[in-house]
Amino acid sequence: GQAHGTAWQGLSTGYPRLDEHLPGGGWPRHALTEILLGQHGSGELKILMPALARLSRGGEDGESPGWLAWIAPPFQPYPPALAQWGIDLARVLIVRPRRPEDILWAAGQALVCGTCAAVLLWPQRLDRAASRRLQLAAEQGGSRAFAFRPRAQRAQPSAAALRLVLGQGAAVTDVEILKSRGGQPAAVPGVIPDYASLPGS
């Protein structure tokens, strides 16, 4: 029906080369996306910035602006850089759980509450059962979860709708799509042009 059609329509990543390879033309809605990378702070947020800016201002299908919840980021987000990307800083919520095992619980709560447009999390471990719970919570709350994980965990099974591996090219970031619900695995070189570098990063 109608509801399924809108859920299938992706949220543009802001990078046309990547959108072309994603079913729905962007980040899956009401779903878990996993982003696997070499090390934290390697520009992994850049891939989400255009979409997060739109979500923080409520620019999608009349969606009201939502919270952007960051659960256990391994670095201190830099507000001037976020603002420069167009993110409404009043909508950014940073949650630092006391214990690593609380990261998944906090993410699940944020997804289900219905007021978070996106939940970013940096879990220490994410097995299939935990990824399934996050996927269900995103569907229930009509939100999007983005889990950042080490590239070494790429072989682990996951219930995520989309799994990407970020690779660092010379001047650009290459993306490998490991798994895409309704789409095909693909290598997408040079998704992010060098000029998209964050100030202060």
Side-chain angles (χ1 to χ4, degrees), residues 71-72 97-107 123-125 133:
I71 316 281
R98 287 220 177 92
R99 301 176 311 166
E101 54 268 35
D102 294 338
I103 295 173
L104 293 171
W105 180 85
Q124 295 201 339
R125 285 187 307 284
R133 284 194 295 272

Side-chain angles (χ1 to χ4, degrees), residues 47-128:
I47 198 160
L48 289 183
M49 285 298 168
L52 294 181
R54 273 219 308 299
L55 291 174
S56 77
R57 297 175 183 281
E60 195 198 10
D61 308 339
E63 257 187 64
S64 52
W67 292 99
L68 305 177
W70 302 45
I71 316 281
F75 47 80
Q76 185 58 39
Y78 184 59
L82 298 181
Q84 197 150 0
W85 277 98
I87 288 177
D88 178 354
L89 295 175
R91 293 263 154 210
V92 174
L93 193 65
I94 295 176
V95 181
R96 296 194 180 277
R98 287 220 177 92
R99 301 176 311 166
E101 54 268 35
D102 294 338
I103 295 173
L104 293 171
W105 180 85
Q109 296 296 307
L111 287 166
V112 169
C113 74
T115 56
C116 288
V119 176
L120 284 61
L121 65 147
W122 286 262
Q124 295 201 339
R125 285 187 307 284
L126 188 61
D127 59 22
R128 186 192 277 279

Side-chain angles (χ1 to χ4, degrees), residues 7-29 51 54 60 162 180-182:
W8 188 244
Q9 179 59 42
L11 169 68
S12 171
T13 63
Y15 300 106
R17 294 188 65 168
L18 183 54
D19 285 351
E20 277 171 34
H21 290 273
L22 297 176
W27 299 118
R29 294 176 68 166
R54 273 219 308 299
E60 195 198 10
L162 176 65
S180 173
R181 190 169 60 190

